Amino acid sequence: MHELSLAQNLLDIVSAQCLKNGFKEIESINIRIGRASGIMPDALSFAFNAIKTDSAVANKAFLYIEEIPVTGNCKDCNNEFIVEEEYILCCPSCNGSSFVITAGRELDIVDMEVS
Ligand SMILES: [Zn+2]
């Protein structure tokens, strides 16, 4: 399961960051997941909650997930577009197929609250 290893990575990163800065406990973590990243927020959240109980610093941490829609830029008509779907096959305004995805593939840790 892809999300389980992601959750483990996330937990390792935030735990190391927390201890490095001299804090003992993580209260919450804010992350952003792009719709085109292939990550399912529910599955990630579930996996995170399952493994956090083994962590000394993050066992009470709450994971907040913000979903980022897919944003693209069409080379044919120069249109900047945002879609709610996970995949884009063509530009929504001209149906052209030369476009670049400019947002929606990310998995970013925005910030976290520690004590
Ligand atoms: Zn277009």
Side-chain angles (χ1 to χ4, degrees):
M1 190 177 143
H2 182 52
E3 277 78 6
L4 186 59
S5 56
L6 277 174
Q8 188 64 61
N9 277 343
L10 183 65
L11 194 61
D12 291 347
I13 293 167
V14 294
S15 301
Q17 198 67 28
C18 175
L19 295 171
K20 201 179 107 190
N21 291 298
F23 296 101
K24 291 192 199 75
E25 200 171 75
I26 300 168
E27 288 175 11
S28 64
I29 305 156
N30 286 301
I31 65 167
R32 273 196 200 119
I33 296 178
R35 284 248 165 82
S37 64
I39 303 164
M40 297 199 308
D42 288 352
L44 182 64
S45 177
F46 181 82
F48 182 83
N49 288 329
I51 60 171
K52 74 177 183 186
T53 51
D54 293 333
S55 162
V57 291
N59 57 62
K60 292 194 202 84
F62 193 87
L63 185 65
Y64 293 100
I65 299 174
E66 187 192 344
E67 283 187 74
I68 306 295
V70 182
T71 305
N73 198 292
C74 179
K75 287 178 185 164
D76 291 337
C77 69
N78 239 336
N79 178 38
E80 180 97 11
F81 54 85
I82 296 175
V83 296
E84 294 301 319
E85 289 86 33
E86 277 178 49
Y87 303 101
I88 303 175
L89 297 173
C90 59
C91 166
S93 60
C94 75
N95 284 326
S97 57
S98 350
F99 56 84
V100 283
I101 304 287
T102 50
R105 286 203 173 116
E106 58 272 83
L107 168 60
D108 294 329
I109 299 171
V110 182
D111 56 28
M112 61 179 181
E113 227 176 283
V114 290
S115 59

